[in-house]
Amino acid sequence: MNEENNIAVEGENNWEEKVGLAKMLVGGVIMDVTNAEQARIAEQAGAVAVMALERVPSDIRKDGGIARMSPVSKIQEIQECASIPVMAKSRIGHFMEAEILEALSVDFIDESEVLTPADEDAHIDKSPFKAPFVCGARNLGEALRRISEGAALIRTKGEAGTGDIIHAVRHMKLINSQIEELAGLGDWDLASYAEKLNAPRDLVKQVAKNGRLQVPNFAAGGIATPADAAMMMRLGAEAVFVGSGIFKSSPDPEKQSAVARAIVEAVTHFDNPAELVRICQNVDVAMRGEDTAEIPEEKLLQSRGW
Amino acid sequence: MVNARRFPDLSRTAKPTIGVLALQGSFPLHIASLQRCGVETRRVRKPEDLENIQGLVIPGGESTTMENLASRCGLFDALRAAGRNGLPIFGTCAGAILLGKGTERPERLQVVDIEVRRNAYGRQVDSFNAELFLTPFETSFHGVFIRAPIIEAGSENLDCEILGLHEGHPVLIRNGRILLATFHPELTDDLRVHKLFLEMCELENGNPGEEIREESGAGQARENAF
């Protein structure tokens, strides 16, 4: 096992394969899709994976009610047409939904705050699963708690379905600055820092030593345009999830496809503004969005989970 | 044959530069592995990035995504031309899929006449790791297979050297200047497959490569430390 790149978490099942898949998604875009047609558009646009959903997050916000795992038939429809990895969401703590998704051979399970939580005490114990999990995190403590439960990939918990990137930016910057703070600390200070973060001490020490999380860190939540995606990459995201930003950009599938293609290219060429001009030239639509500052605190999805 | 104008001989002091296709995937890990072997690396994102490199790595990742991005900027055709003109290329997983031939998506470079079947083991739950016995090495190599492809046995292709098998399928295969692996040496600390590829790059350039041999020695010491 590679000490620098693959930091083993004790007792993990298939840890190399789980984190390995996360590393293969680096530099890519994972797109939310609700049917086979959208999955086809996503794959043709160059997505590295699709997230099979019943409704995109902006519709979940609008409709209210209880949001649950997608119907099995919907996931199977998408699996049949996609040759790239297919991810799907389970509710926070809903290990039975996760077991069903694993039995469906879903490639990555997102234990997601976008769905209504099922357990107020515990997230899913992800270690025994053969399928890898991705979980959201707003700060380093939250990221390390999820990793200690067996998450093989972390993503920001930007406010899903709003097209407002401010929270994803905040989470990415905070995690990276907390990792930097750790670098200068001695053992005693690290122990206090671990207490402050409410995170396992051994994981905090590993992060301090390596200057990075044990697993890749992607951006998610509120990313709507090629420039948004490139900005998250510049802030240190290793790949990007895009939800409502593609299929809510326009009712016209041609325009949706143009947005999808442009976001894929923007993630590859994120450090080259001249290329980004060319990439953005074919995009004249974006989802309308919703200013998260106008959403009451208790309605924020990111506050689900801890 | 090697095009001398495109792939010039190295001076004895210059470190060889190996390009790494950096559109998507495990390219940061390949760059780290190559740098530990003591060579210079360059991220390849445009056709002109292929100039003056002594070898190219096509990393693991999503082959459909790489094909898509490469096609948009003319890089796909440039990669095919470079491979067919004799540039040494090492493809891991998605890279092997792209370099070979096959009927499923994506479109292939077909630089080698070897069929590489995508997602042939199944989905992520079928990903696995295995100790591999590879003919160039004396001890086993830890192979990590992620949604891996299967190389259909290249017995009909007499130029192919099968350098390792897993359950009857070739996992490391060399065809002239092209090296294909269905596993991910870039996910481990073991540099032996990368060094094998660098030897292929050196020989093809007719360069004694003193510097690189020295660096390899340092790499070996590091490897033994693990």
Side-chain angles (χ1 to χ4, degrees):
Chain A
M1 178 83 49
N2 177 335
E3 265 193 46
E4 278 171 30
N5 291 322
N6 300 313
I7 305 144
V9 173
E10 286 299 316
E12 268 294 337
N13 197 9
N14 300 100
W15 183 244
E16 275 183 306
E17 291 89 331
K18 289 172 173 177
V19 181
L21 179 59
K23 288 179 177 177
M24 294 308 139
L25 301 173
V26 162
V29 180
I30 300 127
M31 300 183 190
D32 281 358
V33 298
T34 57
N35 56 44
E37 181 52 30
Q38 290 184 348
R40 205 168 295 123
I41 291 175
E43 183 165 329
Q44 279 168 3
V48 287
V50 290
M51 176 77 72
L53 286 170
E54 187 185 17
R55 294 170 287 170
V56 292
S58 69
D59 286 336
I60 293 175
R61 296 195 86 90
K62 206 166 59 194
D63 299 349
I66 303 296
R68 308 181 176 95
M69 177 186 90
S70 295
V72 164
S73 59
K74 183 72 80 181
I75 295 168
Q76 285 172 325
E77 168 194 333
I78 290 164
Q79 281 177 320
E80 265 164 41
C81 98
S83 75
I84 55 180
V86 175
M87 304 188 176
K89 290 184 196 289
S90 77
R91 284 180 264 177
I92 289 175
H94 206 312
F95 56 85
M96 214 53 240
E97 283 186 348
E99 286 183 21
I100 292 168
L101 292 174
E102 181 178 63
L104 266 171
S105 296
V106 160
D107 294 290
F108 237 108
I109 299 169
D110 185 4
E111 186 181 16
S112 177
E113 71 281 5
V114 170
L115 306 185
T116 312
D119 188 326
E120 57 193 356
D121 294 324
H123 284 69
I124 297 169
D125 178 8
K126 295 166 269 289
S127 300
F129 284 80
K130 200 164 187 223
F133 279 76
V134 50
C135 289
R138 289 162 295 180
N139 54 57
L140 183 57
E142 195 171 1
L144 294 178
R145 287 192 293 279
R146 297 295 87 77
I147 292 169
S148 75
E149 295 156 2
L153 174 61
I154 293 296
R155 55 168 176 77
T156 60
K157 238 171 159 182
E159 203 47 34
T162 62
D164 187 350
I165 201 178
I166 191 167
H167 294 278
V169 169
R170 182 187 297 157
H171 304 162
M172 186 58 68
K173 284 169 73 175
L174 180 57
I175 287 185
N176 287 334
S177 68
Q178 287 177 315
I179 291 173
E180 267 175 46
E181 269 177 54
L182 287 184
L185 301 182
D187 273 359
W188 287 2
D189 290 335
L190 281 175
S192 328
Y193 206 102
E195 290 295 318
K196 198 175 88 183
L197 289 175
N198 188 19
R201 204 178 281 190
D202 53 337
L203 293 185
V204 171
K205 284 185 179 173
Q206 279 182 340
V207 172
K209 181 169 162 244
N210 295 293
R212 48 180 298 168
L213 286 180
Q214 289 82 350
V215 303
N217 189 11
F218 292 1
I223 296 152
T225 67
D228 287 351
M231 182 187 186
M232 293 312 301
M233 293 296 286
R234 193 79 78 90
L235 287 172
E238 291 172 85
V240 171
F241 285 84
V242 182
S244 322
I246 291 163
F247 294 105
K248 288 291 169 186
S249 61
S250 159
D252 177 359
E254 298 250 324
K255 296 208 172 203
Q256 294 168 354
S257 175
V259 172
R261 287 166 57 98
I263 292 177
V264 167
E265 241 181 315
V267 167
T268 294
H269 299 286
F270 71 91
D271 52 1
N272 188 339
E275 281 286 308
L276 290 169
V277 170
R278 176 187 63 74
I279 290 164
C280 294
Q281 240 148 16
N282 297 323
V283 177
D284 54 5
V285 291
M287 70 180 284
R288 183 170 179 278
E290 184 180 357
D291 184 348
T292 52
E294 290 168 11
I295 302 173
E297 191 74 30
E298 66 276 12
K299 294 270 182 197
L300 290 177
L301 300 176
Q302 62 185 279
S303 316
R304 296 167 165 181
W306 52 91
Chain B
M1 285 316 293
V2 175
N3 179 332
R5 187 174 49 79
R6 255 194 109 162
F7 311 119
D9 274 357
L10 303 162
S11 78
R12 284 194 167 239
T13 50
K15 283 185 182 179
T17 300
I18 304 296
V20 180
L21 189 67
L23 298 172
Q24 188 274 318
S26 60
F27 63 89
L29 300 175
H30 273 292
I31 289 172
S33 295
L34 289 165
Q35 286 178 346
R36 292 218 314 274
C37 291
V39 291
E40 299 285 330
T41 56
R42 183 194 300 157
R43 290 170 188 229
V44 172
R45 288 182 173 146
K46 298 189 288 288
E48 53 268 36
D49 296 333
L50 290 169
E51 284 167 24
N52 294 320
I53 53 173
Q54 283 69 48
L56 176 74
V57 174
I58 304 185
E62 268 313 310
S63 54
T64 50
T65 302
M66 289 185 218
E67 182 260 339
N68 190 311
L69 284 161
S71 297
R72 284 187 218 175
C73 63
L75 183 53
F76 195 76
D77 291 336
L79 288 169
R80 178 178 283 157
R84 290 183 179 171
N85 284 337
L87 179 69
I89 307 180
F90 173 28
T92 58
C93 195
I97 292 168
L98 288 169
L99 288 164
K101 59 176 192 177
T103 48
E104 345 72 332
R105 285 170 282 182
E107 193 190 332
R108 314 301 179 93
L109 293 166
Q110 297 185 41
V111 168
V112 284
D113 189 24
I114 297 173
E115 190 176 338
V116 187
R117 203 149 46 86
R118 190 165 161 239
N119 295 339
Y121 291 98
R123 295 183 178 276
Q124 172 62 13
V125 289
D126 305 302
S127 292
F128 61 98
N129 66 72
E131 292 309 309
L132 304 173
F133 294 92
L134 306 175
T135 55
F137 313 133
E138 283 173 9
T139 53
S140 68
F141 195 99
H142 185 65
V144 185
F145 293 80
I146 310 280
R147 284 175 51 105
I150 282 181
I151 293 176
E152 295 300 345
S155 54
E156 68 283 359
N157 185 341
L158 295 176
D159 297 333
C160 276
E161 285 174 85
I162 295 171
L163 304 178
L165 292 165
H166 178 70
E167 291 176 352
H169 297 290
V171 293
L172 184 67
I173 194 165
R174 179 164 54 191
N175 187 352
R177 300 178 182 88
I178 308 296
L179 183 66
L180 308 182
T182 59
F183 58 99
H184 292 282
E186 76 275 20
L187 281 175
T188 62
D189 238 3
D190 195 333
L191 298 174
R192 286 179 293 173
V193 179
H194 286 90
K195 285 179 188 163
L196 178 74
F197 175 63
L198 292 177
E199 277 171 28
M200 286 166 55
C201 300
E202 257 182 292
L203 290 174
E204 299 307 328
N205 284 291
N207 186 287
E210 278 166 26
E211 184 139 351
I212 182 174
R213 211 156 282 154
E214 253 169 56
E215 295 278 354
S216 305
Q220 191 65 47
R222 186 198 157 87
E223 213 172 274
N224 293 340
F226 281 97

